[in-house]
Amino acid sequence: MTDALRLTRAHFPVTALGPGTRLGIWLQGCPLACPGCVAKDTWDPDGGVTVGVDVLLDDVRRAIEEGGDGVTVSGGEPLEQAEPLAALLRGVRELSANAVTPLDILLYTGYERAELDVSQLATAALADVLITGRYVVTAPTGLIWRGSANQEMHLQTPLGRTRYASYLDYEPAAPPIQIETSPDGDAWWVGVPNKPNTARAIEDGLRALGYRVTSVSWRRPAP
Ligand code: SF4
């Protein structure tokens, strides 16, 4: 295996992290330790599983076949794995070039652009849209797909500008939240809640309905 990534989860379709239906890829490992982070299960770089870029590109192919609109990469801190992530994003771009509907790439990072090294900058440049900045629990926001008011959405390509310009300042009445359940009673969720207690409220609600909350969304309360 030449290029491989440490992965928390991949899922299709994701509908709460970017426009349309998307392949969601969560990468494992984050050194940033934002106070109030509720995704602590993604911090350990040895957690998750190692997956070849070629395997994830098979997921991308399936997403294209099923009419997907894009790929969202989150974490954890994706740019901690800048070089294999670049291989993945280049592969997405190649596959997208032959798709009827081009896939856009939305990449989350907790870093600011000025903090990125050369390799990380090159990888970040492969995204159509880049959302930067730490999660700041004391700075809630109503802006869609952003966890706190300091986080910035950068539209980096014509495709990104076409698809996301109307979302730059968009504040939905409530943040998009996607809940997935299985017949045996497991549940997990995806989304960027805009209030500090939203994540716990979602999971408490699922438990009250009898579900086991089994895994991560973008954020997850510490046990
Ligand atoms: S909020 Fe995101 S960037 Fe901050 S510590 Fe948690 S996973 Fe890392």
Side-chain angles (χ1 to χ4, degrees), residues 15-16 177-181 187-190 202 206 211:
T15 57
I177 299 289
Q178 174 184 357
I179 293 174
E180 296 284 327
T181 61
W188 62 287
W189 61 275
V190 181
I202 292 167
L206 289 169
Y211 289 105

Side-chain angles (χ1 to χ4, degrees), residues 2-6 25 27 51-54 56-57 60 71 73 77-95 105 107 117-128:
T2 50
D3 287 307
L5 286 154
R6 200 74 187 167
I25 295 174
L27 296 184
V51 176
V53 166
D54 54 340
L56 289 170
L57 289 175
V60 175
V71 176
V73 181
E77 174 43 63
L79 291 177
E80 287 298 300
Q81 304 184 65
E83 292 187 9
L85 176 57
L88 173 65
L89 299 187
R90 281 193 294 267
V92 173
R93 283 177 160 253
E94 284 172 19
L95 293 170
I105 299 171
L107 173 62
D117 64 24
V118 171
S119 171
Q120 291 170 320
L121 277 170
T123 302
L126 294 168
D128 297 288

Side-chain angles (χ1 to χ4, degrees), residues 9-14 22-26 59 178 180 188 190:
R9 171 189 287 276
H11 182 77
F12 180 88
V14 165
R22 315 179 62 81
L23 174 64
I25 295 174
W26 287 262
D59 290 344
Q178 174 184 357
E180 296 284 327
W188 62 287
V190 181

Side-chain angles (χ1 to χ4, degrees), residues 60-220:
V60 175
R61 286 187 189 88
R62 279 192 290 275
I64 290 172
E65 287 167 8
E66 294 181 30
D69 298 290
V71 176
T72 297
V73 181
S74 182
E77 174 43 63
L79 291 177
E80 287 298 300
Q81 304 184 65
E83 292 187 9
L85 176 57
L88 173 65
L89 299 187
R90 281 193 294 267
V92 173
R93 283 177 160 253
E94 284 172 19
L95 293 170
S96 176
N98 298 317
V100 175
T101 301
L103 296 180
D104 71 79
I105 299 171
L106 169 59
L107 173 62
Y108 281 86
T109 176
Y111 290 113
E112 302 292 346
R113 270 177 164 166
E115 297 178 294
L116 301 178
D117 64 24
V118 171
S119 171
Q120 291 170 320
L121 277 170
T123 302
L126 294 168
D128 297 288
V129 177
L130 180 69
I131 294 180
T132 57
R134 309 290 195 276
Y135 170 61
V136 178
V137 67
T138 54
T141 181
L143 293 171
I144 193 166
W145 304 321
R146 279 147 283 183
S148 52
N150 60 298
Q151 293 181 338
E152 289 188 59
M153 181 188 287
H154 308 273
L155 311 187
Q156 304 193 127
T157 66
L159 180 60
R161 286 187 280 279
T162 298
R163 291 206 181 151
Y164 288 74
S166 61
Y167 295 110
L168 274 175
D169 300 319
Y170 177 53
E171 297 194 21
I177 299 289
Q178 174 184 357
I179 293 174
E180 296 284 327
T181 61
S182 71
D184 56 358
D186 292 331
W188 62 287
W189 61 275
V190 181
V192 185
N194 59 8
K195 293 177 185 164
N197 60 356
T198 303
R200 187 168 295 280
I202 292 167
E203 299 201 355
D204 286 349
L206 289 169
R207 289 191 188 95
L209 290 170
Y211 289 105
R212 288 183 302 274
V213 181
T214 54
S215 190
V216 218
S217 67
W218 184 70
R219 298 180 182 281
R220 178 187 185 190

